[in-house]
Amino acid sequence: MAGKNSYNMCICGVGGQGIIKTSVIIGEAAMNQGFNVVLSEIHGMSQREGSVSTELRIGDFEGSILPDHSADMLLSFEPIEIVRALNKANKDTKLVFNTHPIIPSSGDKPYPNTNNLISILEENYNHVLPIDGNQLAIDAGNIVSLNMVLLGAVTADDNFPISKESVIDAMKNNLKPQFHELNVKAIESGYQWIKG
Amino acid sequence: MNLNELITGKSGDKQFLLGNEAAVRGVIEAGISVAATYPGTPSSEIGNVLSMLAKDANIYFEFSTNEKVAMEVAATAAASGLRSFTFMKHVGLNVASDSFMTTAYSGVKGGMVILTADDPSIFSSQNEQDSRHYGHLASLPVLEPSSCQEVKDMVKYAFELSEQFELPVIVRTTTRVSHMRGIVEFGEISDNSSEDETHWKKGNFKKDPSQYVPVPANALRMHVDLVEKMENAEKISNKSEFNREITFTENKKYGLIASGSAFNYAKDVVDVKGLDINILKLGFSNPTPSRLIADFLEGLDEVFVVEEVDPIMEKEVLAIVAQNKLDVVVHGKLDDTFPKYHEYTPDVVLDGFNKVLDCCTKEEYELSSSLQELVDAIPNRAPVLCSGCPHRSMYYGVNKAMEELNIPASDVVFASDIGCYTLGINPPYYAADYLLSMGSSVGDGCGFSIATNQKVVSFIGDSTFFHSGVSPLINAIHNKANFVLTVLDNRITAMTGGQPNPGIPIDAMGDKAPEISIRKLALACGCSFVRVINPLNLEQVINTYKEALEYDGVAVIISKSPCTLIKGYAKKPPVEYVESNCNNCLKCTNELACPAISLNNGKIILDQSMCVGCNVCVQVCKYGALNAGMR
């Protein structure tokens, strides 16, 4: 369901990684840039270290659920979680994901090899962008800023309709001042990693 | 954003709000004085936000022991002339329904709004019932918002409507509305300042037994009054601004009637695919705006009715078609155009259109074989009990106690209840065999113990015990039932995000409050076996369960230890894993199954960043491979 002046995103990962907060920051930045935006969140049982995902639609949409295969970008905080969200992707969807695995204790199958996972994705999709987000976050000063590294990475996409500056402003409006400096550094680090 | 802006925000300000936050702004704009709830997803965040803002917004707010009490608090406040608000998840309205039904007869003076949040596709519930039935059952107006803006606007308007007809008004949301975030433009706030000593203003109840005491002579008349009120309300729904036509085409062949989230998907599909279909959006859906619908149907050949979950509007539309002798084919759930269950999505709506119109080719994305293999190889990531959760050792302990007493699992029925501990259903605990509703584990214990010779072990949380566990416990003692009742007292209402309950010395507005003792309650109910134990001490857990399983009568075990997610939880140093001591017995992963300990390629991996130092695994490991961390 392409067309219209729109941008569709699915953001996923594991409960506790800051997925909802990151989604809210993107949505608020979109609003501040004058776009209409809707976001769907899942709260409750799924947050107990289960898979968590949000769906975000920028443009003149009423509903916050993406049609299948309509995402412009999937952003995943964890490698296997992007695979779980592939029903939203098409060949041209940007697949941005953190390469650091979180092995599910409730897993019914062995955790797949991450390098193998990346190469299969690269064979099948045109824009596969794995990031060692954990390392970049540690380099920026603290692993807790992983979500900010990934946020910086998505703002580096040429088609992403929201500027890095808007994202930083929205971050400041949503997170405590003592983390602003660290988070700006982390956003820059993710942004530069993609641009570089 | 800063949630205080829900109070300080000016008319015309725009914020990116969760549907539940928009509901809070709605009640603040409406100038309510009293709000009461029992937390339940997907409505929980309304209470969490009110809990923070109530005092500054001149609102009395409580987490009631259950939804029925919340309904009664709101109903009496409204009878006293105040604007009141109660909100709950769909199944919560079942709990409240006894009082709820009669509020329709007795009516209100101040506006009263009941928000019920349905959960199509069952993200966090035990069923996907459609609460709109309650509007028909009780004969009360129902508003169905589709967007966050509408949540705010309809909640505010519902108070005016309530006062106009002196009836409570239902606002029905679904998960995708309550947990949707969108742009909300604020309106004016009505003054609700208090001249009383309390931070909320007080009303005055004017006695009128002919209105408020539904003895048969009064109730007979009240029902007549109610029917008349709803007939008058239909005149409003026929003209409501929340019921509007959206025109995409001059062609009058096809039409579509939709409400709630289903409207969102329907409109997006019609819009993006450029279909020749006009839409009638119903926001004020009960009483059904029959005149408006009949006018919309006039001249159409076929109409789609798109709604979640049950075919409620669809049946209304069919009745209107028949009454007006219209020649319109109605497509909905009843002719299998759309599914009768689960939430809708743009694809579900599109598939429905295609069955009738064959209008849109869907691009198929066939996965390559390597990709399909990868998708199939992805391990599940189901929600689990958190690392350090005190419930885990109770499940581990009861299984160990059964093992030591040589009681096979088939001889023990685990009656579970509503809360995080329902996750006990998962391997390796298998500690949930039967579950109905809040508090049912206790009544189920009564039933299984008379119906079978099996042993019964029930699990219920502290908040759920206060909600609906006490009266079945009285039943159990009086009727000489025989089972083990485990009260998992983790000092919070955990699953819904950590709300206080009567077991802790603080109320919903953060003030000190009397703490109700579960132990004393059990004793007062007549239980003679009541043990309060520390669930993190495995030996104590196993021995207590052994004793309880052999006890003749109702044995109450209260496991008391805080939820690890409580703000300020005192973490201990993480456990240390000594690989050289490990003999790979895998008891830690296979029997205890803490998410901080995982197995990868045959090797134990301890994630110290997840470990909170509960040290239960240290007690499970016989080889000294898991050791308590040192400070």
Side-chain angles (χ1 to χ4, degrees):
Chain A
M1 210 172 285
K4 301 182 76 167
N5 184 14
S6 69
Y7 199 83
N8 293 325
M9 249 182 118
C10 178
I11 305 170
C12 49
V14 180
Q17 284 190 302
I19 292 147
I20 291 180
K21 186 58 85 181
T22 306
S23 310
V24 171
I25 289 169
I26 295 172
E28 205 173 285
M31 174 180 77
N32 292 338
Q33 278 192 214
F35 296 108
N36 182 52
V37 57
V38 280
L39 167 70
S40 79
E41 305 173 5
I42 290 296
H43 297 232
M45 203 178 224
S46 48
Q47 285 179 296
R48 298 287 178 267
E49 290 164 28
S51 302
V52 169
S53 65
T54 67
E55 298 178 36
L56 184 110
R57 307 197 82 182
I58 299 171
D60 292 328
F61 299 107
E62 305 285 343
S64 51
I65 306 296
L66 308 192
D68 286 350
H69 309 296
S70 72
D72 294 286
M73 179 182 289
L74 302 187
L75 168 63
S76 178
F77 287 43
E78 205 279 346
I80 63 168
E81 294 309 316
I82 200 154
V83 179
R84 225 184 287 284
L86 286 175
N87 65 318
K88 299 291 181 187
N90 59 57
K91 297 258 175 247
D92 294 318
T93 302
K94 304 255 173 25
L95 307 184
V96 180
F97 60 101
N98 182 23
T99 54
H100 184 79
I102 298 178
I103 296 164
S105 62
S106 59
D108 49 343
K109 296 168 197 159
Y111 196 95
N113 177 293
T114 310
N115 290 331
N116 187 35
L117 180 152
I118 294 170
S119 60
I120 293 172
L121 291 179
E122 283 171 342
E123 284 162 25
N124 286 278
Y125 295 92
N126 295 328
H127 308 282
V128 178
L129 298 157
I131 304 175
D132 188 349
N134 284 46
Q135 192 56 51
L136 288 175
I138 291 163
D139 293 347
N142 195 325
I143 182 67
V144 298
S145 62
L146 166 67
N147 57 347
M148 295 297 127
V149 169
L150 297 171
L151 188 55
V154 300
T155 58
D157 173 37
D158 290 337
N159 295 326
F160 192 65
I162 306 161
S163 70
K164 186 175 69 183
E165 290 68 31
S166 298
V167 163
I168 289 173
D169 286 346
M171 178 278 289
K172 289 181 176 170
N173 196 34
N174 279 278
L175 297 171
K176 289 183 183 148
Q178 61 262 41
F179 299 118
H180 289 179
E181 197 186 325
L182 168 71
N183 287 340
V184 171
K185 215 171 148 192
I187 290 169
E188 291 288 355
S189 141
Y191 183 87
Q192 290 307 332
W193 197 89
I194 293 282
K195 285 287 183 195
Chain B
M1 67 166 257
N2 178 345
L3 287 167
N4 279 320
E5 290 184 40
L6 293 175
I7 299 178
T8 57
K10 302 268 181 302
S11 179
D13 285 0
K14 285 182 181 177
Q15 291 286 356
F16 189 52
L17 296 186
L18 195 64
N20 283 337
E21 294 165 358
V24 173
R25 175 68 189 192
V27 298
I28 289 172
E29 288 185 8
I32 68 160
S33 299
V34 170
T37 190
Y38 182 84
T41 309
S43 72
S44 306
E45 295 77 16
I46 302 174
N48 299 349
V49 176
L50 273 177
S51 185
M52 283 164 26
L53 303 182
K55 282 189 174 176
D56 291 336
N58 305 326
I59 296 169
Y60 168 84
F61 174 60
E62 70 172 44
F63 287 116
S64 309
T65 44
N66 63 38
E67 293 86 350
K68 181 167 178 285
V69 177
M71 184 70 65
E72 288 150 2
V73 168
T76 46
S80 305
L82 300 176
R83 284 191 165 186
S84 72
F85 181 49
T86 183
F87 49 100
M88 55 202 66
K89 66 184 297 174
H90 56 317
V91 287
L93 189 51
N94 302 342
V95 176
S97 61
D98 205 357
S99 290
F100 161 79
M101 289 297 293
T102 307
T103 61
Y105 279 26
S106 53
V108 299
K109 289 286 179 243
M112 173 174 168
V113 174
I114 301 158
L115 185 147
T116 170
D118 288 0
D119 192 17
S121 283
I122 317 183
F123 292 93
S124 261
S125 305
Q126 66 269 41
N127 70 32
E128 56 178 353
Q129 75 188 31
D130 189 330
S131 294
R132 294 178 301 166
H133 288 294
Y134 274 111
H136 294 271
L137 189 64
S139 287
L140 288 176
V142 177
L143 303 174
E144 292 184 65
S146 300
S147 65
C148 299
Q149 181 73 51
E150 281 190 345
V151 171
K152 198 274 289 173
D153 292 343
M154 284 187 186
V155 164
K156 186 180 190 182
Y157 168 70
F159 286 95
E160 294 167 29
L161 187 65
S162 172
E163 284 166 7
Q164 185 178 353
F165 292 99
E166 299 192 345
L167 286 177
V169 171
I170 299 169
V171 175
R172 184 251 194 171
T173 67
T174 58
T175 300
R176 296 297 186 178
V177 174
S178 289
H179 287 167
M180 177 195 219
R181 210 175 273 272
I183 299 169
V184 177
E185 184 174 336
F186 290 178
E188 295 290 347
I189 293 178
S190 309
D191 178 41
N192 66 345
S193 52
S194 170
E195 286 166 14
D196 294 283
E197 280 177 15
T198 47
H199 70 261
W200 69 96
K201 76 174 173 198
K202 297 283 181 130
N204 184 268
F205 178 70
K206 293 196 175 53
K207 293 187 184 201
D208 182 3
S210 71
Q211 185 180 351
Y212 295 118
V213 186
V215 292
N218 291 337
L220 283 165
R221 193 199 63 251
M222 289 166 163
H223 194 187
V224 176
D225 293 346
L226 177 59
V227 169
E228 192 184 325
K229 284 179 183 179
M230 286 297 277
E231 280 169 3
N232 287 327
E234 187 175 328
K235 292 173 194 153
I236 309 292
S237 75
N238 272 316
K239 289 184 295 191
S240 171
E241 63 185 43
F242 294 119
N243 296 333
R244 61 192 162 91
E245 195 173 331
I246 301 153
T247 309
F248 287 99
T249 173
E250 295 298 306
N251 189 342
K252 283 274 296 183
K253 195 167 160 47
Y254 298 104
L256 186 155
I257 299 173
S259 72
S261 289
F263 160 78
N264 295 340
Y265 312 131
K267 191 201 155 197
D268 286 344
V269 171
V270 169
D271 191 9
V272 174
K273 296 289 184 186
L275 304 181
D276 273 350
I277 303 179
N278 292 330
I279 300 177
L280 177 62
K281 178 194 188 314
L282 294 187
F284 186 164
S285 60
N286 194 45
T288 306
S290 305
R291 189 69 260 143
L292 183 71
I293 292 173
D295 289 346
F296 178 74
L297 295 174
E298 187 73 48
L300 289 180
D301 290 349
E302 302 182 43
V303 69
F304 295 90
V305 182
V306 190
E307 61 189 319
E308 294 170 321
V309 172
D310 290 335
I312 294 175
M313 289 193 315
E314 186 180 354
K315 287 179 180 171
E316 296 285 323
V317 169
L318 283 164
I320 292 164
V321 167
Q323 276 178 335
N324 293 276
K325 298 189 175 62
L326 298 172
D327 188 15
V328 182
V329 181
V330 179
H331 299 293
K333 295 168 188 282
L334 296 171
D335 71 342
D336 289 326
T337 301
F338 301 109
K340 296 183 179 75
Y341 41 74
H342 302 171
E343 70 168 354
Y344 285 5
T345 65
D347 290 282
V348 166
V349 175
L350 184 64
D351 291 344
F353 288 158
N354 266 338
K355 283 181 194 168
V356 176
L357 304 172
D358 199 16
C359 56
C360 314
T361 47
K362 265 182 87 173
E363 287 177 71
E364 295 297 332
Y365 286 84
E366 280 204 18
L367 300 183
S368 70
S369 59
S370 60
L371 194 58
Q372 188 63 55
E373 273 171 37
L374 177 65
V375 169
D376 293 341
I378 294 303
N380 279 339
R381 197 190 295 279
V384 292
L385 296 172
C386 304
S387 71
C389 173
H391 304 338
R392 174 174 291 104
S393 47
M394 295 300 286
Y395 291 134
Y396 178 87
V398 72
N399 279 304
K400 283 290 152 205
M402 285 156 53
E403 216 176 286
E404 291 182 20
L405 294 174
N406 286 317
I407 306 174
S410 58
D411 280 357
V412 180
V413 180
F414 292 113
S416 192
D417 222 301
I418 307 287
C420 298
Y421 39 90
T422 315
L423 293 170
I425 190 177
N426 290 327
Y429 320 115
Y430 301 106
D433 297 317
Y434 195 81
L435 167 64
L436 294 174
S437 64
M438 291 288 285
S440 65
S441 63
V442 190
D444 298 342
C446 299
F448 282 123
S449 78
I450 59 158
T452 72
N453 286 323
Q454 289 158 298
K455 291 197 178 287
V456 185
V457 179
S458 299
F459 296 99
I460 190 169
D462 46 343
S463 191
T464 310
F465 180 73
F466 291 116
H467 180 287
S468 300
V470 183
S471 60
L473 183 57
I474 294 169
N475 183 74
I477 297 295
H478 181 69
N479 290 306
K480 301 179 283 289
N482 192 341
F483 63 99
V484 181
L485 172 62
T486 316
V487 184
L488 299 162
D489 180 5
N490 63 355
R491 320 298 300 141
I492 205 82
T493 314
M495 178 57 95
T496 45
Q499 296 82 4
N501 68 49
I504 64 168
I506 192 164
D507 70 15
M509 293 181 290
D511 291 333
K512 278 189 184 164
E515 180 179 343
I516 313 298
S517 159
I518 295 173
R519 182 181 148 271
K520 286 183 186 168
L521 264 176
L523 290 170
C525 290
C527 304
S528 38
F529 184 115
V530 181
R531 301 287 152 78
V532 180
I533 64 166
N534 172 11
L536 305 183
N537 178 340
L538 266 189
E539 197 184 336
Q540 193 183 24
V541 173
I542 296 168
N543 288 339
T544 310
Y545 266 122
K546 279 164 73 177
E547 217 183 314
L549 283 163
E550 297 201 309
Y551 180 78
D552 187 21
V554 177
V556 178
I557 303 174
I558 301 161
S559 138
K560 201 166 175 179
S561 186
C563 169
T564 62
L565 299 180
I566 293 177
K567 226 176 181 181
Y569 176 84
K571 276 191 196 181
K572 295 205 186 90
V575 167
E576 317 260 354
Y577 174 58
V578 183
E579 197 181 343
S580 54
N581 288 353
C582 180
N583 91 331
N584 258 33
C585 72
L586 305 185
K587 257 180 173 317
C588 56
T589 53
N590 290 352
E591 294 180 20
L592 187 64
C594 173
I597 308 174
S598 55
L599 188 65
N600 205 21
N601 296 321
K603 282 194 154 188
I604 295 293
I605 295 165
L606 175 77
D607 184 343
Q608 288 197 315
S609 70
M610 277 173 87
C611 178
V612 297
C614 79
N615 291 341
V616 170
C617 62
V618 175
Q619 300 164 61
V620 168
C621 181
K622 301 244 178 325
Y623 301 95
L626 294 164
N627 298 318
M630 297 295 176
R631 243 172 242 285

